[in-house]
Amino acid sequence: MSRDSPPSVTQVETHGVERIPDADRTAGPLDLFRLAFGGANTFATCVLGAFPILFGLSFWQGLAAMLLGLLTGALLLAPMAVFGPRNGTNNAVSSSAHLGVHGRIVGSFLSLLTAVAFFSLSVWSSGDALIGGAHRLLGVPESDLAYGCAYAVFAVLVLAVCVYGFRFMLLVNKVAVIAATLLFVLGLFAFAGDFDPSYAGIFTPDADRATQDLYWPSFIGAALIVLSNPVSFGAFLGDWARYIPADTPRRKVMGAAFLSQLATVLPFGFGLATAAIIAERAPKYLDPAAPNFVGGLLAIAPGWYFLPVCLIALIGGMSTGTTALYGTGLDFSSVFPRLSRVRATVLIGVLSIAFIFVGRFGFNLVQAISTFATMIITCTVPWMIVMMLGYVTRRGWYDPEALQVFTRRRHGGRYWFTRGWNWRGMSAWWTGAVTGVLFTNIPGQFVGPLGDLAGGTDISLPLGAAVAAIVYLLLLAAFPEPRAVYGPDGPRWVRAADTPVAPITDAGSGPARGEARRDARQPGVPR
């Protein structure tokens, strides 16, 4: 099959996490842009854009915090796009090179937890917006039954798209990007008459000293919440970029990922501007104890905009849900090879749908999931740092066969390290992740044991990233990795050790186990 004749969108995708054949790589950087932007061009992103106002910032202060978080997050995310084209597989499998054959499960479960959390949040927020708009437009009752039906429709539609696979998901996002963008632009006209950029927030020159002291924690906190949105795509970019040809220039792939997040200034800005209007006209909806952005939006919206609200909810929910759930099924099938991609997707989808209903109607877990999603991001950033630094020190060189050792249930290879674990990358990840959790400060939800040391400012993400980077580079310098993992051009920034690697053999065979034991006794590898 040539690159000019991709499979039909109605053909169920059969590829798992094995390397995508060159002939099947028919996607391009623009497709990556559509998927990444489409997955964020939703009401869930608008809600994040409302947080600067919720934290008491003025419109202009909130805009500065939003742009800071968005730009930083986009810069962090962009390098994660290069692994897919390079290796033809997802980012969790690519992480085998830096965390070890078995250590790659860290990326798999971070991806799994992130997907379930954001899939749930997407269905909840879109379902609430759809029923709220339908109530104002058609008088649909805002009952548990109505909400349950909306959640079920979203979840089943998303699951169906994910079962068909990449091509169908790409088609949905092609439509979603254009449609949702036009609807958001239409919203600018709907609210233009009520918008006042001079909204001052609570940090005015007349504010008391105690309030003034909260300014920087609020500003940084708002920026970090915005930053978490692009970072949440870090584990998923390889799911889509693996269909991009390996010879595609890296700058184009990274540029597509970077621009896809800069484009979300539209939903972020929509959320920020409308939140400023809500704060003036319907402040009860921005009560920090129980914020309800969607309810406030409907309260201030003109009647003719209720239908676009419903359409944004439907289109956005489909787009975000598919980009989250697709990667989960894909990677879960690699952790449990007896499950095909389709079966794994159905299994995870059904469990996620059950979780959505139990969490929404049984235990009221919506706020808890928001906190959970933030904590996952805190643990994902150090993993991304290890991946990026590993790519740089390896000069972008990888062994495709050795990356698939775990998937094929074999032993040995360049990335076997110590019994399948690279303790250097693993140590850098968990120290960064633990540091981030300890310094997390989410007011009213979770404050880590050291969360108040920075005057109430949440420094968990930058601190966790810095710790992971420092620890990883120090360990690479003190305990060099085998020369074989660096390829023909050798390492960059660090040195290599003349340590032999175990050959790739079937799991359970004597030679592989013996080689693994001998490898563990080599210099520079702790027993």
Side-chain angles (χ1 to χ4, degrees):
M1 185 179 299
S2 69
R3 292 181 183 177
D4 297 327
S5 56
S8 168
V9 296
T10 57
Q11 178 180 334
V12 176
E13 180 187 4
T14 57
H15 290 304
V17 295
E18 288 279 355
R19 181 179 174 87
I20 301 296
D22 291 340
D24 290 348
R25 296 202 196 184
T26 56
L30 181 59
D31 295 316
L32 179 62
F33 172 89
R34 287 167 173 160
L35 287 166
F37 176 45
N41 197 26
T42 65
F43 265 127
T45 305
C46 294
V47 172
L48 296 179
F51 268 89
I53 302 298
L54 187 64
F55 282 5
L57 300 177
S58 70
F59 172 78
W60 293 112
Q61 292 165 348
L63 181 62
M66 182 192 78
L67 293 176
L68 174 63
L70 192 57
L71 180 61
T72 305
L75 288 171
L76 277 173
L77 178 68
M80 298 302 294
V82 301
F83 295 96
R86 174 70 68 181
N87 299 321
T89 186
N90 69 349
N91 285 354
V93 173
S94 294
S95 72
S96 299
H98 310 298
L99 280 79
V101 168
H102 294 152
R104 56 142 293 185
I105 63 173
V106 171
S108 297
F109 281 97
L110 285 174
S111 174
L112 172 64
L113 296 175
T114 302
V116 172
F118 280 88
F119 175 56
S120 301
L121 289 173
S122 172
V123 171
W124 283 329
S125 61
S126 296
D128 289 350
L130 180 62
I131 295 302
H135 173 71
R136 298 297 184 88
L137 187 65
L138 303 173
V140 175
E142 295 181 304
S143 62
D144 286 348
L145 177 60
Y147 283 114
C149 290
Y151 299 152
V153 169
F154 275 122
V156 171
L157 287 175
V158 167
L159 182 57
V161 173
C162 291
V163 166
Y164 274 102
F166 177 79
R167 298 295 165 190
F168 204 154
M169 183 177 68
L170 182 57
L171 174 63
V172 169
N173 277 273
K174 285 180 179 179
V175 176
V177 166
I178 298 174
T181 298
L182 291 176
L183 292 169
F184 277 127
V185 171
L186 187 62
L188 299 180
F189 293 97
F191 298 103
D194 296 320
F195 174 61
D196 181 5
S198 64
Y199 172 72
I202 66 173
F203 301 106
T204 62
D206 298 331
D208 57 44
R209 181 66 179 178
T211 300
Q212 294 287 359
D213 289 343
L214 293 175
Y215 172 73
W216 283 111
S218 299
F219 184 90
I220 298 299
L224 290 176
I225 285 178
V226 174
L227 180 147
S228 69
N229 195 63
V231 167
S232 69
F233 287 91
F236 301 118
L237 281 188
D239 301 339
W240 320 318
R242 66 200 178 107
Y243 276 97
I244 298 175
D247 58 1
T248 304
R250 286 180 298 178
R251 67 179 185 279
K252 291 186 177 181
V253 179
M254 293 175 61
F258 179 77
L259 293 176
S260 72
Q261 299 310 303
L262 289 192
T264 60
V265 71
L266 177 61
F268 272 118
F270 182 88
L272 179 69
T274 52
I277 301 173
I278 295 170
E280 292 281 8
R281 294 184 51 192
K284 66 177 183 179
Y285 290 101
L286 293 186
D287 181 359
N292 182 4
F293 171 77
V294 173
L297 180 67
L298 293 171
I300 65 171
W304 63 266
Y305 196 64
F306 293 154
L307 178 59
V309 166
C310 294
L311 292 175
I312 292 175
L314 180 61
I315 296 170
M318 285 285 293
S319 183
T320 301
T322 53
T323 52
L325 190 60
Y326 169 79
T328 305
L330 174 68
D331 204 61
F332 200 71
S333 67
S334 70
V335 177
F336 299 96
R338 292 185 179 181
L339 295 175
S340 66
R341 186 198 66 81
V342 172
R343 291 179 179 177
T345 299
V346 172
L347 175 61
I348 295 298
V350 170
L351 293 177
S352 298
I353 292 171
F355 178 78
I356 287 169
F357 279 87
V358 172
R360 176 63 173 81
F361 299 113
F363 297 98
N364 193 25
L365 293 178
V366 178
Q367 185 177 19
I369 290 301
S370 300
T371 304
F372 181 53
T374 303
M375 299 303 292
I376 294 172
I377 297 303
T378 302
C379 295
T380 300
V381 169
W383 177 81
M384 293 170 60
I385 294 298
V386 171
M387 289 280 287
M388 286 185 274
L389 288 176
Y391 184 92
V392 173
T393 57
R394 303 282 178 85
R395 300 181 186 272
W397 187 90
Y398 293 91
D399 181 348
E401 291 299 310
L403 289 175
Q404 297 293 340
V405 165
F406 181 93
T407 305
R408 298 168 182 170
R409 289 301 186 265
R410 306 189 78 187
H411 285 164
R414 298 176 193 269
Y415 308 131
W416 185 252
F417 298 105
T418 306
R419 296 182 176 86
W421 302 89
N422 185 352
W423 61 273
R424 305 164 189 82
M426 289 292 297
S427 298
W429 167 71
W430 74 256
T431 52
V434 170
T435 300
V437 171
L438 291 176
F439 281 87
T440 297
N441 191 320
I442 310 173
Q445 297 185 43
F446 176 81
V447 178
L450 305 178
D452 290 323
L453 290 186
T457 301
D458 189 335
I459 59 173
S460 56
L461 287 181
L463 189 59
V467 168
I470 293 171
V471 171
Y472 188 45
L473 292 177
L474 286 177
L475 289 177
L476 288 179
F479 304 97
E481 292 178 329
R483 190 173 303 278
V485 305
Y486 291 106
D489 294 331
R492 177 189 285 126
W493 297 353
V494 296
R495 55 196 180 91
D498 293 322
T499 305
V501 298
I504 298 177
T505 59
D506 292 333
S509 63
R513 295 182 181 273
E515 290 289 345
R517 284 194 294 269
R518 285 194 292 274
D519 180 52
R521 292 194 295 268
Q522 296 298 323
V525 180
R527 293 187 176 90

